[in-house]
Amino acid sequence: MVKLTVDGIALEVPNGCSVLQAAELAGKEIPRFCYHERLSVAGNCRMCLVEVEKVPKPVASCAWPVAEGMVVKTDSPMVRNARRGVMEFLLINHPLDCPICDQGGECDLQDQSMGYGWGDSRYREPKRAVREKDFGPLVKTVMTRCIHCTRCIRFLAEVGGAPELGATARGEDMEIGTYVQQALTSELSGNIIDLCPVGALTSKPYAFVARSWELTRTDSVDVMDAVGANIRVDARGPEVLRVLPRINDDVNEEWLADKSRFAIDGLKHKRLDRPWVRRDGKLAPASWDEAFAAIAARMKDLPGEKVGAIAGDLACAESMLALKDLMSALGSRNLDCRQNGARLDAARRDFYLFNTTIAGIDRADAILLIGTNPRREAPILNARIRKRWLSGQVPVAAIGPAVDLTYAAEWLGVGPAVLTSLLSGLLSGEQSFAKKLEAAQQPMLILGQGALARPDGEAVLAAAWQLAERFGMLRADWHGFNVLHTAAARVGALELGFLPAPGAKGFWAMRAGAVDLLWLLGADEFEVARIPPTTFVVYQGHHGDRGAQRADVILPGSAYTEKNGTYVNTEGRAERGRLAVYPPGEAREDWKILRAFSAVLGRPLPYDDLRSLREKLATTHPVFARVGALPAAGCTDQSGPGGDPAAMLPNPFTFPIANYYQTDPISRASPTMARCTETYYPGLAMAAE
């Protein structure tokens, strides 16, 4: 520890701490443009100048380490004059764009020029102009405003793992851009918009849409993947205009994936805003009473075993509980939430959770990926793996098709044969990854949906568990077995037991026509066209996607921004999404639709408001009572799932996501995501046309 004084305040800070960090611990505000807590130190904006006793000139506090007995002044005449000079230099070439700049009202340069600059400039020369750069369909550039803080460069190189930005030329001719003209390829590229302290990088879809003070802010949770990133939904009137990340160091730190940030314009397209009933082979608008009457008529005298339900990937826990209770009232146990056919074992929670936790990745010292491409399936989690890899050169290996993960990985093979070899010890050579796993103190594996959504998924699950046991991943103080989900609703559904009871019909049987009435709760991620025409399909959802096209009755529900809902992320953390805007037209919250229909049947569900529904949710399933919290990680029972590793097939693993930008009804309806598909997956875009 080092003792120093900051503005007369005595402090004791850790060795290696910078003067800027020490000043913040003393409660002193230090202006900065280039410095960011989660990026490397650049020290090039010079706005954070402070005075250090016995040093003849101001020093950059972000890059100056503390020393024993140091005396620091953060607001002396020398410091004030130095900061005014720096601000004067920064504004020499900065255009007077504030009235038309999308950063207005949220601009660090505006704030700090008012707080630390002065009201005049001695420079009268013409300002420079910089040609605009094309960073793709997401990030808009006005590079004349750039102050060369290099935050964007450092983020893409260090966090995003796509070092595509850099500086060319020097001095006044210096420009930030891509060395080769191309769109940014990182799935985290939108974060450079948040990092940019001026208006050089802004959101292209949000350009000239609204001012920050016009927006209503609502804290919520992201549902575009299973990470559960904390977000803020900004809306004006009935329309969601943007989504920004909120800080949560245990989940997403302060980053957000591009699909989660930019797919929200899909909320305005292809929406279901009124009930529909199929008459004479064609869907026709109907009232709620007519829609309920059509379903009730089809259910009349229908035994419970002939009714089934499938929950979709974006469903909240409240709606799934209501649907499960409705099916139970009808005498049906035909439930399933695994649209992709994943062979998940719900006998124990740690068979299907990310048990290490997302923050626990920071402690791992060896990582094995099995049938997963986290860069596409969970970009925020992948950034955490990259962060760990960078911090300690942690060895990473993968089983599956070789792809660019943004960090170095040893590709062991493409299929289950590698698991068999690891279990049998055939890969125990001196340089093999097995040796690295044996030497690791906290090894972990991540099992993806590409390894589970196969006919031999149960066998792969059992083999992965045995692998975790063999290499010491299952201990009372460490649980290194992890399942990475891709659907926001999947873990919550497993917690609710939204699975077929013994002897009941599951996903494959219901899709094949084993039930006469099939209720789809936002279930769109399978080939619904293959449902036999004899099956009466009720689709309850918010977009006219695949499920709605096959439906006999459509009930318009609410998207995640239009309801209060609970979700459970891949690590088992319950989180709350909140209503930011009301659903369009006659659409209603999903659990309310199910409660109203149960009354039509004469079997009303035992809750009339959200509070009583959540009380039942928390009472019957305690995980929903621990919102935002996780129990201590550890494995006390090493007995594994019931599959037989010997039953694994030789087929190579395939990854579940072919197009990162279009994976659900919202993103498929998004014009912005369609443009991203055209840019990054031109072959898929042409096939869709």
Side-chain angles (χ1 to χ4, degrees):
M1 301 294 284
V2 176
K3 295 181 179 180
L4 74 159
T5 303
V6 177
D7 289 347
I9 302 173
L11 290 176
E12 191 172 355
V13 299
N15 293 319
C17 185
S18 69
V19 172
L20 186 149
Q21 293 169 324
E24 289 188 335
L25 291 174
K28 302 298 179 179
E29 180 181 355
I30 304 292
R32 81 290 300 268
F33 290 115
C34 68
Y35 176 79
H36 191 276
E37 293 81 356
R38 302 186 195 274
L39 302 177
S40 61
V41 175
N44 54 8
C45 78
R46 320 309 285 182
M47 194 63 202
C48 63
L49 295 174
V50 297
E51 181 181 352
V52 176
E53 194 174 86
K54 298 181 182 179
V55 178
K57 60 182 180 180
V59 301
S61 61
C62 67
W64 197 276
V66 296
E68 186 68 30
M70 177 182 285
V71 177
V72 178
K73 298 177 182 178
T74 67
D75 195 29
S76 66
M78 176 196 288
V79 171
R80 287 194 293 271
N81 288 330
R83 289 174 181 170
R84 286 171 180 169
V86 169
M87 183 60 68
E88 187 177 9
F89 275 115
L90 288 175
L91 295 177
I92 288 174
N93 284 313
H94 196 79
L96 300 176
D97 279 352
C98 295
I100 62 167
C101 179
D102 279 322
Q103 197 84 343
E106 301 172 311
C107 178
D108 291 346
L109 187 61
Q110 281 183 332
D111 296 339
Q112 295 188 34
S113 64
M114 292 294 293
Y116 302 98
W118 58 2
D120 196 9
S121 175
R122 292 168 288 179
Y123 291 85
R124 299 293 182 263
E125 294 83 357
K127 295 177 181 290
R128 75 168 187 164
V130 179
R131 187 184 301 273
E132 303 309 340
K133 310 298 191 297
D134 185 4
F135 287 176
L138 302 179
V139 181
K140 177 188 174 187
T141 64
V142 185
M143 301 311 291
T144 302
R145 302 170 184 161
C146 179
I147 62 170
H148 305 155
C149 72
T150 69
R151 280 185 178 183
C152 55
I153 298 174
R154 285 175 284 146
F155 173 83
L156 287 178
E158 298 166 11
V159 180
E164 297 163 339
L165 287 182
T168 56
R170 302 186 66 177
E172 189 175 69
D173 296 325
M174 178 177 171
E175 295 184 17
I176 305 296
T178 53
Y179 294 117
V180 179
Q181 191 66 35
Q182 64 178 17
L184 301 178
T185 60
S186 173
E187 295 78 14
L188 300 169
S189 64
N191 292 286
I192 65 177
I193 297 170
D194 299 335
L195 289 172
C196 184
V198 296
L201 304 176
T202 56
S203 171
K204 187 171 286 188
Y206 181 68
F208 308 121
V209 170
R211 288 299 197 182
S212 60
W213 54 84
E214 299 176 310
L215 304 176
T216 300
R217 298 166 173 80
T218 305
D219 291 346
S220 190
V221 62
D222 173 52
V223 300
M224 296 297 171
D225 56 30
V227 172
N230 287 211
I231 61 174
R232 190 188 84 195
V233 180
D234 288 353
R236 183 177 60 186
E239 185 178 1
V240 174
L241 297 182
R242 67 177 181 179
V243 164
L244 299 176
R246 288 187 294 124
I247 296 177
N248 187 328
D249 287 332
D250 292 333
V251 182
N252 59 300
E253 298 183 295
E254 60 184 86
W255 315 127
L256 189 62
D258 286 348
K259 181 171 56 178
S260 305
R261 182 189 297 265
F262 294 107
I264 55 166
D265 58 347
L267 296 169
K268 299 183 289 186
H269 299 273
K270 298 178 65 176
R271 290 304 304 269
L272 299 173
D273 58 1
R274 63 185 305 174
W276 295 75
V277 175
R278 191 175 296 276
R279 300 188 179 101
D280 299 325
K282 294 184 179 181
L283 287 169
S287 66
W288 279 104
D289 291 339
E290 291 171 335
F292 285 163
I295 303 171
R298 188 66 180 84
M299 279 186 174
K300 187 176 181 181
D301 300 327
L302 199 64
E305 61 267 19
K306 287 296 183 179
V307 179
I310 299 175
D313 292 350
L314 304 183
C316 62
E318 289 83 355
S319 61
M320 289 188 289
L321 177 63
L323 182 56
K324 181 183 178 183
D325 289 347
L326 176 63
M327 292 295 113
S328 178
L330 295 171
S332 172
R333 301 183 299 168
N334 306 321
L335 306 170
D336 214 332
C337 62
R338 302 164 298 182
Q339 291 185 88
N340 60 352
R343 268 64 175 185
L344 295 162
D345 190 333
R348 280 209 335 250
R349 297 187 75 225
D350 55 349
F351 290 166
Y352 59 81
L353 290 183
F354 200 94
N355 298 288
T356 301
T357 72
I358 296 172
I361 294 173
D362 295 342
R363 296 186 287 132
D365 52 7
I367 302 173
L368 175 62
L369 308 176
I370 304 173
T372 180
N373 177 4
R375 180 175 178 179
R376 299 286 187 267
E377 299 166 30
I380 295 297
L381 186 142
N382 191 65
R384 201 92 181 211
I385 298 175
R386 173 176 169 78
K387 174 185 173 183
R388 180 60 182 136
W389 174 78
L390 281 175
S391 65
Q393 289 297 308
V394 172
V396 180
I399 304 173
V403 295
D404 179 10
L405 295 170
T406 72
Y407 42 84
E410 180 182 349
W411 294 93
L412 305 180
V414 296
V418 181
L419 296 178
T420 303
S421 299
L422 286 170
L423 286 171
S424 61
L426 296 179
L427 295 180
S428 57
E430 289 297 322
Q431 303 301 320
S432 73
F433 190 74
K435 286 292 184 183
K436 297 175 183 177
L437 285 176
E438 290 173 353
Q441 298 299 310
Q442 292 178 311
M444 63 179 287
L445 66 81
I446 301 176
L447 184 63
Q449 299 303 298
L452 296 173
R454 303 160 37 108
D456 62 342
E458 293 177 348
V460 174
L461 180 67
W465 184 273
Q466 289 186 12
L467 196 67
E469 183 179 5
R470 178 179 179 237
F471 289 103
M473 301 182 192
L474 308 178
R475 309 192 304 265
D477 62 336
W478 177 255
H479 203 317
F481 179 84
N482 303 286
V483 174
L484 177 60
H485 293 273
T486 58
R490 188 65 48 81
V491 175
L494 294 172
E495 298 285 359
L496 289 169
F498 206 97
L499 295 167
K505 303 173 183 67
F507 168 75
W508 295 107
M510 289 189 284
R511 195 191 75 167
V515 295
D516 292 340
L517 188 146
L518 182 58
W519 197 297
L520 303 180
L521 181 60
D524 296 279
E525 307 309 320
F526 67 98
E527 297 180 60
V528 293
R530 297 180 62 179
I531 300 174
T534 55
T535 302
F536 189 88
V537 177
V538 178
Y539 178 79
Q540 179 180 347
H542 41 78
H543 275 75
D545 206 70
R546 300 165 183 166
Q549 295 172 15
R550 171 59 184 85
D552 295 287
V553 175
I554 297 175
L555 305 177
S558 301
Y560 73 106
T561 57
E562 300 160 0
K563 61 183 175 182
N564 295 299
T566 305
Y567 302 87
V568 183
N569 73 348
T570 191
E571 58 182 350
R573 184 190 306 270
E575 299 178 300
R576 290 269 168 84
R578 294 178 175 84
L579 182 146
V581 296
Y582 290 98
E586 299 178 40
R588 296 292 183 269
E589 293 185 40
D590 292 301
W591 76 266
K592 292 182 178 179
I593 295 173
L594 294 161
R595 172 62 179 82
F597 178 67
S598 69
V600 171
L601 292 179
R603 303 172 183 178
L605 298 178
Y607 28 77
D608 295 323
D609 54 37
L610 184 62
R611 179 179 178 181
S612 56
L613 171 57
R614 283 182 169 169
E615 285 177 354
K616 179 178 181 182
L617 194 64
T619 301
T620 56
H621 305 89
V623 63
F624 296 102
R626 301 189 300 265
V627 176
L630 278 179
C635 181
T636 56
D637 184 355
Q638 296 187 3
S639 58
D644 180 11
M648 290 190 295
L649 302 174
N651 305 349
F653 295 134
T654 58
F655 298 140
I657 295 178
N659 177 4
Y660 164 73
Y661 295 100
Q662 293 182 321
T663 58
D664 55 78
I666 298 174
S667 59
R668 283 192 290 270
S670 165
T672 301
M673 295 296 99
R675 287 191 290 271
C676 288
T677 300
E678 293 173 359
T679 302
Y680 301 109
Y681 303 94
L684 292 177
M686 292 177 64
E689 294 175 359

